[in-house]
Amino acid sequence: MQTISTQYGELIPQHTSDDLRKRDILPVEYHASGVVKSVPLEEQTVIVTPIGDIPAELVSFHENGTLNRVFPLNGKLSGYWSQDDEAGLSRPVTLATPFGPIRTRIMSVGFYDDRSLRSLTLWPGETLSVPTPAGPMEARVGVSFTRDGRVRSLEPAKPTVVPTRAGEMTAFDPDAVGVNGDVNSLVFDDEGKVCRVITTLTKLTVVHPDGHTVCHVPEHRESLCSEAEQEVVPMCVEFDSETVRIRTNPDNAPLVLPVEGHVFFAEPYLPQLANPFVELHCSI
């Protein structure tokens, strides 16, 4: 056992294991410069962060020594220890976010190297009311912030209508995975406008310069629940000042169209009505 000196106090790395949660002894990692990069902790330790005190079992650091990410829990899921078992150990924490104090269960909190809050990753099943440039929204999975405290992205907890350069689109990603809250399906640019949205409930129609019209809709795939069923593949649309990028299949490159000369407009799309013989048990 050897303590690690950090800007946040002396930390005791993990040096024992058990038969349930911590079946391996994880190593301390270092940056190439020799500065500590991550420390799995022997016991849950309270870390004093810029947004509040957070009990941690794993912490990582930027190369300048400031916090990168704090994990309240760090158990290893297995046949002996399930997510439900781990969830039983999760406790709410009170945090001072850019939009006010919150109290919720978190999987991790991320920080920029200037100590400002980068992201919140929520525990599965937790939701959070977030004031966004498009109005207040319920978020799940995660929320990310710019360095100056503006909401950069979030994962909508339910299908939510948002304004875009093509008109109103319904934002929701049924395939969202809560690895971390740094990158989410609904993203805002520096002006507060929607610059990326994932949807299963919107059709995007494009009028090309020669007058012909093309409709882009979410595709379908074989359901993960049953080979006899199909489910909707979320469609991703990204906007910037010069182009619109449309991806209807995550395995293919996006279609990139210039804004100049094209007209884009969105309208509701209900896959059940477009193909009434398809059941959508998993995604929607």
Side-chain angles (χ1 to χ4, degrees):
M1 182 187 71
Q2 179 180 358
T3 59
I4 303 293
S5 298
T6 73
Q7 298 179 19
Y8 305 87
E10 300 291 318
L11 302 179
I12 301 177
Q14 179 192 358
H15 55 276
T16 62
S17 61
D18 58 49
D19 292 334
L20 291 177
R21 292 189 66 236
K22 298 183 177 182
R23 301 174 65 83
D24 302 313
I25 298 178
L26 302 177
V28 176
E29 296 183 351
Y30 293 85
H31 290 283
S33 61
V35 175
V36 65
K37 183 177 183 180
S38 70
V39 183
L41 301 173
E42 174 66 11
E43 296 181 351
Q44 193 176 65
T45 303
V46 174
I47 304 296
V48 179
T49 80
I51 64 171
D53 297 350
I54 304 175
E57 290 188 347
L58 174 66
V59 290
S60 64
F61 300 90
H62 293 287
E63 201 156 5
N64 66 358
T66 61
L67 284 172
N68 177 30
R69 201 177 296 276
V70 179
F71 299 84
L73 298 175
N74 189 37
K76 181 178 180 180
L77 302 185
S78 67
Y80 302 95
W81 190 260
S82 69
Q83 180 173 300
D84 290 339
D85 292 323
E86 191 79 348
L89 300 178
S90 178
R91 297 290 180 267
V93 294
T94 299
L95 305 174
T97 73
F99 53 81
I102 64 170
R103 184 169 178 79
T104 188
R105 296 191 304 164
I106 56 171
M107 292 184 66
S108 69
V109 178
F111 297 91
Y112 290 106
D113 57 7
D114 63 0
R115 302 177 188 269
S116 58
L117 178 63
R118 184 176 71 245
S119 67
L120 300 171
T121 306
L122 305 178
W123 195 265
E126 294 289 310
T127 61
L128 191 64
S129 180
V130 180
T132 78
M137 296 183 192
E138 285 294 313
R140 62 185 177 123
V141 178
V143 183
S144 72
F145 303 87
T146 61
R147 289 178 182 266
D148 59 1
R150 292 177 290 109
V151 174
R152 173 63 174 168
S153 71
L154 72 140
E155 202 61 56
K158 58 185 178 182
T160 304
V161 176
V162 296
T164 74
R165 291 177 171 87
E168 292 187 337
M169 302 183 71
T170 301
F172 185 69
D173 182 3
D175 293 343
V177 178
V179 176
N180 64 61
D182 290 7
V183 180
N184 303 287
S185 64
L186 179 60
V187 183
F188 302 93
D189 62 18
D190 292 338
E191 297 178 353
K193 296 179 180 178
V194 173
C195 62
R196 181 176 185 267
V197 60
I198 290 180
T199 180
T200 58
L201 297 169
T202 301
K203 174 172 68 175
L204 183 63
T205 301
V206 182
V207 181
H208 290 256
D210 62 3
H212 82 278
T213 299
V214 178
C215 295
H216 300 274
V217 300
E219 295 184 1
H220 291 83
R221 66 186 172 202
E222 184 179 282
S223 172
L224 298 177
C225 298
S226 169
E227 294 181 358
E229 298 178 7
Q230 287 196 325
E231 60 187 11
V232 181
V233 179
M235 178 174 68
C236 179
V237 183
E238 298 178 85
F239 302 92
D240 60 39
S241 59
E242 297 182 354
T243 63
V244 174
R245 301 164 64 90
I246 306 168
R247 188 194 298 267
T248 57
N249 188 318
D251 296 327
N252 298 336
L255 172 66
V256 181
L257 298 172
V259 170
E260 185 177 354
H262 292 80
V263 177
F264 303 87
F265 58 92
E267 57 187 308
Y269 170 71
L270 297 178
Q272 299 96 322
L273 299 182
N275 189 348
F277 300 105
V278 172
E279 296 184 14
L280 305 173
H281 293 170
C282 289
S283 297
I284 298 177

